[in-house]
Amino acid sequence: MGAPVERADRADRIAHPWGSRTPYRRGAPWPARTDGHLAPGTLPGDVDAWVPSASLLHSNGDAMDIAVRDGRIVGVRGRTGDRVNRGRLGPKDLFGWQANHSEDRLRTPLIRRDGRLQECSWDTALDAVADRTESLLEEDGPGSIGFYTSGQLFLEEYYTLAVLARAGIGTHHLDGNTRLCTATAAEALKETFGCDGQPGSYTDVDHADTLALFGHNMAETQPVLWMRVLDRLAGPDPPRLLCVDPRPTPVARAADVHLAPRTGTNLALLNALLHEILRHGRIDRAYLEAHTVGFDRLEQQVADCTPQWAAGICDVPAAAIAEAAELLGGADRLLSTVLQGVYQSHQATAAAVQVNNLHLVRGMLGRPGCGVLQMNGQPTAQNTRETGADGDLPGFRNWQNDAHVQELARIWNVTPETIPHYGPPTHAMQIFRYAEQGSVKMLWISGTNPAVSLPDLGRIRSILGQEGLFTVVQDLFATETAQYADVVLPAATWGEKTGTFTNADRTVHLSEKAVEPPGLARADLDIFLDYARRMDFRDRDGGPLVTWGTAQEAFEAWQRCSAGRPCDYTGITYERLRGSGGIQWPCTEAAPEGTERLYTDGISWAAPDDCETYGKDLLTGAAVEEEEYRALNPEGKAVIKAAAYVPPHEEPDGEFPLQLTTGRTLYHFHTRTKTGRVPQLNAAAPEVWAELSPAEAAAHGLHEGDLIEVATARGGVLARLRITAIRDGLVFLPFHYGYWDTPRGRGPGEGRAGRAANETTVTDWDPVSKQPLFKTAAARVALVERGDGTPAPAPTTTASAPADPDGIPATTGGPEARATEEPS
Ligand SMILES: Nc1nc2c(c(=O)[nH]1)N[C@H]1C(S)=C(S)[C@@H](COP(=O)(O)OP(=O)(O)OC[C@H]3O[C@@H](n4cnc5c(=O)[nH]c(N)nc54)[C@H](O)[C@@H]3O)O[C@H]1N2
Ligand SMILES: Nc1nc2c(c(=O)[nH]1)N[C@H]1C(S)=C(S)[C@@H](COP(=O)(O)OP(=O)(O)OC[C@H]3O[C@@H](n4cnc5c(=O)[nH]c(N)nc54)[C@H](O)[C@@H]3O)O[C@H]1N2
Ligand SMILES: [Mo]
């Protein structure tokens, strides 16, 4: 319809991150809108090719075409026909591709000689890695070798890594940074449904009459999904919105009910919400009877959890809790989402599981508009989980179930004993602990930057710097982590290699190679394959263990491994993905178009012989034994698990009187290796800041723009103060800012305050999912230098918006940030 209309007022997509509204009514399809951005001076007619892909800077899976001219990426355009984004793109998607062209991309392998990293050939680098592997295997065995990977590679790459690590080397120590990210999402789904796998679908936004977001700043972290919500909110019969978040996020501002609890009290709040829902009899008895076990335990557990009780713990008015319960209890079609405000907070799994319980109690699953999204964060975290590169076995198989291990051994043509399964695969924090203790002697880090992203960085730097640890770092850039490496492997990335990945609602996209990588950089898949060849891994008949040489062949091998499992990819091919608008797994002969929602017909994967886990105790993390599970859940229903609230381990005290939480801003991705190299994004949030409420700032005698130190028992961060509508008693730090663009390059210097939020965070994790706690700690703040009246360098369009905007200039991206937006 009509010619593309460029709305100059909205085309600055830094100042207007969500663009213009295309309202729609409940049950109607989400209207399309095509967003794009081309390098200045490039016209659509100049583009040689549009190469299909999807975004790689969050888990939403926004489909896009990469514009190529003269062998270079010159822009992107949303794919209008795709089920996920209907053509829309967020700011990071629109501008992020420019990072591929950075002058300081790694172009050759590096090896440490005489204490310095020096350029070398691929043969030299990979032979060094293979030689070290072989000598360690001989002297110390497979347990001396660990792999720490990512949520940002492609499915084909993880699967290859999982095969070579688990069956080639036979090590137990393979995990992803997904441990920091969605380990709790996976665990919460496993505890309730016996198996990982997202029940809901993004189309539930189209049908819901009530939305509940728990610790999820969707507006900033999945901006395109938020556009969908905004378009429903602007439509004729908007859903009601509940937000549970201690910060004044854009979600909180749009909410009908906003609860801003003390951090670490999610479980108390959820138990009170469930108490109210049960008290008012908002219970689907027929659903509970048919599809669940364990309801009586929940009833007992929440019997005394009144709103008044929770109000005292969460510091939220009891009336507001009752109001939220009314909203949830009155919903006819409820969609809930959960993310880091729960997963990285205290009692993570126990709290996330209560959101599942809410849906079971209300019988709200498997129907349009009735979904739970235990969200993902990273673009390909789902695949890390599916392929078993994350501390699980491939295909959501149960390491405690011998039949599952045997099946896997059959697929790989190895003996079952080859695949370590004497205990749960080692989680990331434990791999680093083993490295600290010296039993892990080689650590291969791919696609993650632990020297900025793991908690308690002083400790992490000392582990990475240990003499006895041989460290391999595979990345695009010479990151803070790469400074500690013995071998650095330059990787190709998005746009420079081919592979598939799966978003948070199980939608699979193919991302095709559009341009050549810089210098000698290679696709991660090719690096893993080359290593496997050098190691000459064999199957039980003496044939090669890794039988594939291309991404498509790796995908086909994965299809065979996924067959018959919940994440069944057998009906998805590269061919089909090429013409599609995204396909949701499971996709099989029986469901050739893919599967929009799981559990439409009862619970499918919780039976004792099928389930991925027999579960854990929600308080202690102790494993449930097979016999116990068989007795509890013989028919494979959903398991309703209850847990009592206990206070966080680290609470404010006289020395550290504030709560501290950390998180994200719209314009940056993690440790900024990409977004820090993109002019429009970096200008929008150029430097670290800290947030306090007006009352807290006044109590400390602090003003907007003052340089303060935020310190905990671990360490401190220097940051300019932004005064926002955050709850009193809480200080917030974004965790994006590390050291690669500071003079020292790798850290703050002994005993000094730094720039990375993780100088302050604690070595502690959820006992069930083993996900580290980045959201709860105790801290103090102190003035370091009075500001000169210049406001803090924090965005004004986001949760960091000033409480008093007077005199604080609004965030804009300048002329460079103009993007096109074509309402259709
Ligand atoms: N712009 C941007 N988008 C991203 C990313 C990024 O780096 N930048 N990263 C991607 C990844 S990997 C992830 S995992 C996701 C994360 O996405 P989100 O989980 O949405 O992001 P966070 O900012 O980590 O945390 C969300 C909210 O949790 C709140 N919170 C803190 N403590 C508590 C608590 O105890 N209880 C409750 N209820 N809330 C609390 C914070 O105030 C914060 O607003 O984002 C993805 N998308
Ligand atoms: N305090 C605090 N800490 C946190 C969090 C928090 O909320 N607060 N959130 C946690 C969460 S949820 C996450 S997901 C982690 C993220 O933590 P990290 O994974 O450490 O963060 P990234 O900056 O995304 O690091 C990814 C690295 O991979 C590289 N890379 C990108 N693409 C490719 C590729 O194709 N191949 C290869 N080989 N390398 C590539 C990038 O250059 C970058 O160095 O941080 C966690 N840490
Ligand atoms: Mo994440």
Side-chain angles (χ1 to χ4, degrees):
M1 259 177 38
V5 185
E6 189 175 283
R7 304 264 306 267
D9 57 329
R10 291 296 167 82
D12 179 345
R13 289 294 302 281
I14 296 291
H16 302 280
W18 305 284
S20 52
R21 298 281 54 80
T22 48
Y24 69 122
R25 67 169 57 249
R26 186 170 162 190
W30 188 26
R33 182 187 93 189
T34 312
D35 296 357
H37 176 61
L38 289 176
T42 308
L43 297 171
D46 300 334
V47 173
D48 303 331
W50 292 95
V51 181
S53 178
S55 56
L56 215 79
L57 295 169
H58 50 73
S59 61
N60 212 53
D62 304 329
M64 57 167 93
D65 291 322
I66 304 173
V68 181
R69 183 189 186 185
D70 298 334
R72 261 173 87 85
I73 300 178
V74 291
V76 293
R77 171 180 77 187
R79 285 171 68 86
T80 312
D82 197 272
R83 64 173 302 277
V84 169
N85 57 328
R86 311 277 286 121
R88 289 166 191 76
L89 296 175
K92 287 199 279 54
D93 306 336
L94 285 166
F95 305 111
W97 51 269
Q98 298 167 87
N100 281 40
H101 299 155
S102 303
E103 279 305 312
D104 59 348
R105 281 285 300 275
L106 289 169
R107 287 180 162 75
T108 63
L110 305 172
I111 192 161
R112 190 170 296 278
R113 287 201 185 111
D114 309 323
R116 278 188 43 234
L117 284 171
Q118 304 187 8
E119 293 189 358
C120 69
S121 68
W122 275 105
D123 274 339
T124 305
L126 284 180
D127 277 344
V129 179
D131 287 350
R132 183 59 69 109
T133 311
E134 271 166 12
S135 66
L136 283 172
L137 282 176
E138 211 155 285
E139 286 156 31
D140 300 276
S144 60
I145 298 168
F147 294 86
Y148 182 48
T149 190
S150 181
Q152 300 171 41
L153 309 186
F154 289 149
L155 180 151
E156 295 77 0
E157 299 171 329
Y158 299 129
Y159 184 56
T160 304
L161 178 61
V163 174
L164 73 83
R166 298 216 187 280
I169 291 180
T171 180
H172 224 28
H173 312 323
L174 162 62
D175 199 4
N177 67 357
T178 45
R179 183 65 59 184
L180 323 180
C181 184
T182 61
T184 304
E187 193 63 44
L189 294 171
K190 289 191 269 184
E191 292 300 329
T192 303
F193 304 109
C195 191
D196 196 350
Q198 191 72 265
S201 172
Y202 288 167
T203 49
D204 288 333
V205 174
D206 309 345
H207 299 279
D209 67 1
T210 308
L211 302 172
L213 273 58
F214 296 93
H216 181 194
N217 185 4
M218 185 195 285
E220 298 192 48
T221 59
Q222 277 85 14
V224 169
L225 189 55
W226 183 241
M227 293 174 203
R228 198 168 191 147
V229 171
L230 287 177
D231 285 347
R232 273 299 311 279
L233 291 175
D237 45 5
R240 293 180 302 167
L241 178 63
L242 167 66
C243 170
V244 182
D245 195 309
R247 293 175 74 217
T249 62
V251 179
R253 292 201 195 98
D256 297 282
V257 180
H258 172 209
L259 306 179
R262 282 169 55 80
T263 59
T265 65
N266 293 312
L267 183 60
L269 181 68
L270 279 153
N271 279 352
L273 292 172
L274 283 162
H275 169 96
E276 282 294 279
I277 284 166
L278 299 191
R279 189 169 70 87
H280 289 290
R282 312 277 211 179
I283 305 173
D284 186 337
R285 298 263 173 211
Y287 190 90
L288 282 179
E289 183 60 35
H291 301 300
T292 70
V293 297
F295 177 62
D296 43 338
R297 297 261 280 278
L298 180 72
E299 257 183 319
Q300 281 162 26
Q301 186 63 253
V302 304
D304 298 327
C305 300
T306 61
Q308 290 73 17
W309 167 82
I313 293 168
C314 308
D315 188 26
V316 168
I321 299 176
E323 205 187 333
E326 181 53 37
L327 198 140
L328 297 171
D332 196 34
R333 306 265 161 155
L334 170 66
L335 172 65
S336 300
T337 73
V338 189
L339 200 45
Q340 300 308 355
V342 175
Y343 301 160
Q344 294 174 341
S345 197
H346 174 60
Q347 294 194 290
T349 308
V353 159
Q354 302 318 312
V355 178
N356 297 340
N357 288 346
L358 170 65
H359 283 257
L360 293 171
V361 164
R362 302 233 47 233
M364 293 207 181
L365 270 176
R367 288 183 285 136
C370 300
V372 183
L373 291 167
Q374 297 282 357
M375 286 298 295
N376 295 349
Q378 292 174 92
T380 75
Q382 186 62 49
N383 309 109
T384 320
R385 271 146 66 180
E386 293 158 10
T387 58
D390 75 327
D392 271 310
L393 292 187
F396 298 157
R397 288 181 173 84
N398 184 348
W399 62 268
Q400 285 176 292
N401 184 330
D402 286 341
H404 286 199
V405 177
Q406 275 159 20
E407 185 183 51
L408 195 57
R410 211 165 37 244
I411 293 165
W412 291 346
N413 195 30
V414 297
T415 62
E417 305 77 63
T418 313
I419 305 168
H421 61 283
Y422 47 84
T426 318
H427 63 91
M429 294 297 285
Q430 190 63 36
I431 296 179
F432 277 83
R433 178 73 183 135
Y434 289 153
E436 185 170 41
Q437 293 170 322
S439 69
V440 163
K441 295 186 162 72
M442 169 175 148
L443 185 58
W444 186 335
I445 299 168
S446 50
T448 181
N449 189 10
V452 182
S453 60
L454 280 178
D456 196 356
L457 289 181
R459 171 174 176 260
I460 297 303
R461 284 188 293 264
S462 80
I463 295 173
L464 290 171
Q466 266 175 198
E467 267 302 302
L469 184 67
F470 181 81
T471 311
V472 182
V473 172
Q474 184 169 318
D475 207 290
L476 318 181
F477 297 105
T479 60
E480 294 85 343
T481 305
Q483 308 305 317
Y484 294 91
D486 295 283
V487 175
V488 177
L489 305 175
T493 188
W494 175 93
E496 302 162 353
K497 61 181 186 177
T498 293
T500 53
F501 58 102
T502 307
N503 76 351
D505 88 336
R506 291 174 284 103
T507 305
V508 185
H509 288 115
L510 175 63
S511 182
E512 304 227 47
K513 177 170 172 175
V515 297
E516 290 300 325
L520 300 179
R522 285 187 186 173
D524 295 275
L525 179 67
D526 294 330
I527 300 174
F528 292 141
L529 289 174
D530 190 338
Y531 171 73
R533 267 193 306 274
R534 281 169 212 264
M535 290 300 301
D536 197 26
F537 295 125
R538 296 277 149 183
D539 68 12
R540 64 189 300 171
D541 297 321
L545 174 70
V546 178
T547 52
W548 47 94
T550 65
Q552 185 160 349
E553 288 163 14
F555 182 84
E556 286 159 9
W558 162 249
Q559 284 184 304
R560 294 191 287 279
C561 183
S562 75
R565 295 301 298 161
C567 47
D568 193 323
Y569 280 67
T570 49
I572 304 177
T573 59
Y574 271 34
E575 236 358 86
R576 288 198 62 200
L577 286 172
R578 282 199 176 106
S580 85
I583 303 176
Q584 287 172 291
W585 65 245
C587 178
T588 60
E589 239 166 56
E593 302 308 316
T595 306
E596 194 167 21
R597 292 181 185 82
L598 302 186
Y599 311 135
T600 48
D601 199 16
I603 308 303
S604 350
W605 292 96
D609 291 331
D610 303 327
C611 64
E612 185 179 359
T613 173
Y614 304 123
K616 293 176 184 163
D617 181 88
L618 290 188
L619 218 48
T620 64
V624 174
E625 291 305 316
E626 179 181 349
E627 290 319 307
E628 237 175 303
Y629 187 80
R630 285 189 183 279
L632 167 78
N633 193 21
E635 296 169 65
K637 297 182 177 184
V639 182
I640 295 185
K641 286 194 158 178
Y645 167 76
V646 295
H649 302 160
E650 185 169 284
E651 290 264 57
D653 58 15
E655 193 183 352
F656 298 108
L658 298 172
Q659 285 199 310
L660 167 69
T661 198
T662 65
R664 294 166 165 74
T665 191
L666 175 70
Y667 302 104
H668 278 303
F669 186 64
H670 299 166
T671 71
R672 283 167 62 255
T673 65
K674 288 183 177 171
T675 53
R677 289 173 167 95
V678 174
Q680 297 89 340
L681 299 172
N682 205 44
E687 186 49 87
V688 66
W689 70 91
E691 294 170 15
L692 282 177
S693 73
E696 209 61 63
H700 284 82
L702 298 172
H703 307 294
E704 170 79 29
D706 283 351
L707 184 67
I708 63 171
E709 179 174 348
V710 179
T712 68
R714 275 72 55 188
V717 169
L718 293 178
R720 294 278 166 190
L721 176 64
R722 163 58 51 85
I723 297 175
T724 76
I726 194 171
R727 59 169 282 122
D728 294 338
L730 181 64
V731 54
F732 170 85
L733 286 172
F735 87 104
H736 302 297
Y737 301 86
Y739 304 96
W740 61 261
D741 52 346
T742 66
R744 280 193 92 250
R746 61 199 255 175
E750 198 60 37
R752 303 269 257 315
R755 190 191 192 205
N758 283 320
E759 305 296 345
T760 66
T761 48
V762 61
T763 302
D764 192 4
W765 52 82
D766 181 59
V768 191
S769 67
K770 320 294 183 198
Q771 182 160 350
L773 302 188
F774 292 113
K775 299 277 193 265
T776 30
R780 65 167 177 248
V781 298
L783 178 69
V784 174
E785 181 190 286
R786 185 66 74 197
D788 62 3
T790 311
T796 61
T797 41
T798 59
S800 60
D804 173 11
D806 255 11
I808 297 187
T811 302
T812 76
E816 288 252 284
R818 290 167 66 87
T820 55
E821 198 180 274
E822 310 168 2
S824 59

